[in-house]
Amino acid sequence: MGLDDRNALRVLRDAVDPALGSEDLIRRFYTHWFATDPSVRDLFPPDMAQQRGVFAQAMTWLFGELVAQRADEPVAFLAQLGRDHRKYGVTQRHYDSMQSALLSTLRDHLTESWDDKIAEATHDAVALFIGVMRGAADAEKGPPYCDGTVVEHIRATRDVSVVRLQLDRPLPYHPGQYVTVQVPQWPRRWRFLSPSIPADPDGAIEFHIRSVTGGMVSTAIVGETRPGDRWRLSNPHGGLHVDRDGGDVLMVAGSTGLTPLRALIMDLTRWGENPRVHLFFGGRYPSDLYDLKTLWQIASQNPWLSVTPVSEYNVDPPWAGDYPDVTPPRGLHVRQTGRLPEVVTRYGNWGDRQILVCGGPEMVEATKAALLAKGTPADRIQHDPLSN
C-alpha cells in the first residue's frame, strides 16, 4: 500500500515526533549520515542541536500530511527546500547518502515493529521526500545565492541595527518576502531577514536586525558588523502581500517586524491611489520605535497611510539617550501606551481589512489570538511562518 497505508505512516510520524522522544533517533540519523558521507558534515554548523530539532519537526509535519493524504503543501515545501539547499553546496551525491542513511536509521529504530507494510511505506515516503528535493534542485538553473558588501551600519537603538549592503548583482524579490543570510562571524549559520526596501535594480538592499537574547547570529550582526563585511543572501521566500484590489489594510508590526511591511508600504507609493493602510508600530519603550521619522515622511506625502505608534511603557530608560532621537515631527497619530495586541483590538476586530502581522513569534501569536477573540475571520490574517 505504501503511501496509502495510514497506519504505517502513523508509526513513522510517531517515530520522528520530538514530542514523543525522537531525539535519539534523529541524532543517530545524522551520525550515520556523517559517517557514511564525511563531506556532508562540512555543510552544517558545529552545534547541531537546532538543526536536529528543525529536522524532527519538519519530518513530523511531512508524515502527518501523508497520514491525512494531503500532498500539495508537502510537495511545495520539499521543492522549496531543494531549491534553497543549493546555497549550502548540496550535491546529488548528498541526496543519495541522505536517503540511504534515513532508510537505515528508521529500519533499525523500528526493528520490533518492522514488517513489509512499514518497509514499503518507509521506502515510498523517503523516496518521495528525497526525489522532490533532488528534482527541484536539479531543475533550478539560476545562482543559489548572492553576495554583497556592507556599506553602512547604523545602531538605531541598543538592540536594533540598520545594515545597508551593495550586492554584487541585483537580487529580485517581491516586497514582503524574506531571505536567509549568512554573515562572516557565523559561517554555515543562516538567519531569516526581511529587506526593508523594495528590490533595487542597482543591487542596494537594507535590513533592520534586532539582537535577540541568546541569538548568536543576531547578536553578532548588531554588535560586530562593519563596513566591508561580506554577506551571502539566499533567494527569496514568503508570500506576504497586499492586494491593491482587496480592500483596506491593517498592518501590525512589532519592532523589526516592521521591515517587510515597510517594504510593502514603500512599494505602494508607486501608485497615486491605494487602499487605506493603517499601521500599528510597537515596541517596549518609545525609543524602540526607531523608524518613526521615515514612516512620518511617507505618511505626510501619502494620505492613504496612517501610522499609530505603540509602546508598552510611556517613558524611556536612561540608556535611550545614547542612541538617535526617534521622535518624529507632529503629524502622526498620538502614541498609544500598552501591549500591541490590546491596543490594536481596542479599535474593533478589523474584520473587513486585509491584515498583516509581523514580529516575534510570541507577538504574532498574541495579536492573532486577540483578533480572533474579537471575531476577526482567520482567513483575513497573514503572517510569515513563526519559526522564521
Side-chain angles (χ1 to χ4, degrees):
M1 294 178 64
L3 297 179
D4 294 323
D5 190 338
R6 296 189 178 190
N7 289 330
L9 291 169
R10 287 189 186 95
V11 172
L12 294 168
R13 180 197 61 194
D14 292 349
V16 298
D17 189 347
L20 298 178
S22 67
E23 293 87 351
D24 183 60
L25 166 65
I26 303 301
R27 184 179 290 104
R28 284 191 287 116
F29 157 66
Y30 279 107
T31 300
H32 187 164
W33 191 16
F34 295 164
T36 56
D37 188 351
S39 68
V40 174
R41 186 64 186 89
D42 291 337
L43 305 180
F44 292 93
D47 179 7
M48 287 290 295
Q50 182 178 5
Q51 172 64 29
R52 289 194 296 265
V54 170
F55 180 76
Q57 291 173 352
M59 291 292 289
T60 304
W61 178 77
L62 286 167
F63 279 122
E65 291 294 288
L66 294 183
V67 169
Q69 298 292 287
R70 292 190 292 259
D72 290 349
E73 286 194 29
V75 168
F77 170 76
L78 289 163
Q80 182 60 58
L81 274 184
R83 289 188 292 268
D84 193 47
H85 275 49
R86 296 184 311 133
K87 70 174 183 271
Y88 300 113
V90 174
T91 67
Q92 296 296 322
R93 186 189 75 184
H94 295 141
Y95 285 116
D96 291 335
S97 60
M98 178 184 182
Q99 184 166 351
S100 176
L102 188 54
L103 284 170
S104 297
T105 306
L106 287 169
R107 183 180 62 245
D108 292 346
H109 182 77
L110 296 170
T111 298
E112 295 183 4
S113 57
W114 193 261
D115 57 21
D116 289 344
K117 291 182 177 180
I118 293 178
E120 185 179 1
T122 304
H123 177 273
D124 290 356
V126 173
L128 172 67
F129 298 163
I130 302 298
V132 173
M133 292 175 66
R134 184 202 303 267
D138 191 48
E140 193 72 18
K141 302 305 180 186
Y145 51 75
C146 177
D147 291 338
T149 302
V150 173
V151 295
E152 190 172 14
H153 176 206
I154 300 168
R155 287 295 293 270
T157 76
R158 184 173 67 169
D159 302 324
V160 173
S161 284
V162 175
V163 179
R164 297 181 177 127
L165 296 98
Q166 179 61 48
L167 302 179
D168 295 349
R169 61 174 177 84
L171 178 67
Y173 58 86
H174 297 295
Q177 288 192 299
Y178 57 90
V179 299
T180 53
V181 175
Q182 178 183 250
V183 299
Q185 292 84 357
W186 283 100
R188 303 200 301 273
R189 284 190 183 273
W190 293 77
R191 191 181 189 280
F192 293 104
L193 295 177
S194 294
S196 62
I197 59 174
D200 178 66
D202 295 323
I205 196 167
E206 176 182 293
F207 297 104
H208 301 175
I209 305 98
R210 179 171 175 264
S211 176
V212 179
T213 301
M216 294 177 287
V217 177
S218 64
T219 301
I221 292 174
V222 172
E224 301 173 21
T225 296
R226 300 289 184 270
D229 286 355
R230 295 283 288 172
W231 286 19
R232 177 159 290 178
L233 283 60
S234 76
N235 291 317
H237 306 267
L240 207 64
H241 68 282
V242 169
D243 180 355
R244 293 185 60 248
D245 298 319
D248 292 339
V249 182
L250 167 68
M251 295 182 173
V252 185
S255 187
T256 53
L258 174 68
T259 53
L261 305 182
R262 182 186 194 267
L264 284 164
I265 289 170
M266 286 185 165
D267 187 61
L268 289 172
T269 63
R270 296 188 296 135
W271 287 276
E273 294 185 9
N274 282 306
R276 289 181 301 163
V277 177
H278 195 125
L279 168 67
F280 287 85
F281 176 34
R284 191 174 188 190
Y285 300 105
S287 59
D288 288 328
L289 306 177
Y290 63 92
D291 209 33
L292 281 182
K293 290 183 179 179
T294 300
L295 296 173
W296 176 85
Q297 290 172 349
I298 298 173
S300 67
Q301 300 174 42
N302 296 275
W304 46 265
L305 176 63
S306 300
V307 179
T308 297
V310 180
S311 63
E312 292 186 31
Y313 298 97
N314 199 36
V315 296
D316 280 325
W319 52 256
D322 296 334
Y323 297 93
D325 180 13
V326 303
T327 306
R330 294 185 62 181
L332 286 176
H333 283 66
V334 175
R335 180 172 50 81
Q336 305 289 304
T337 304
R339 295 180 65 250
L340 198 50
E342 296 163 359
V343 173
V344 170
T345 52
R346 285 176 197 165
Y347 293 80
N349 72 5
W350 304 90
D352 60 340
R353 303 286 182 110
Q354 304 177 67
I355 301 173
L356 288 72
V357 184
C358 296
E362 291 183 5
M363 170 267 170
V364 172
E365 289 278 30
T367 301
K368 185 176 180 180
L371 288 166
L372 294 175
K374 281 282 190 177
T376 308
D379 60 3
R380 303 289 275 175
I381 304 173
Q382 299 180 51
H383 59 81
D384 283 328
L386 297 182
S387 62
N388 291 345

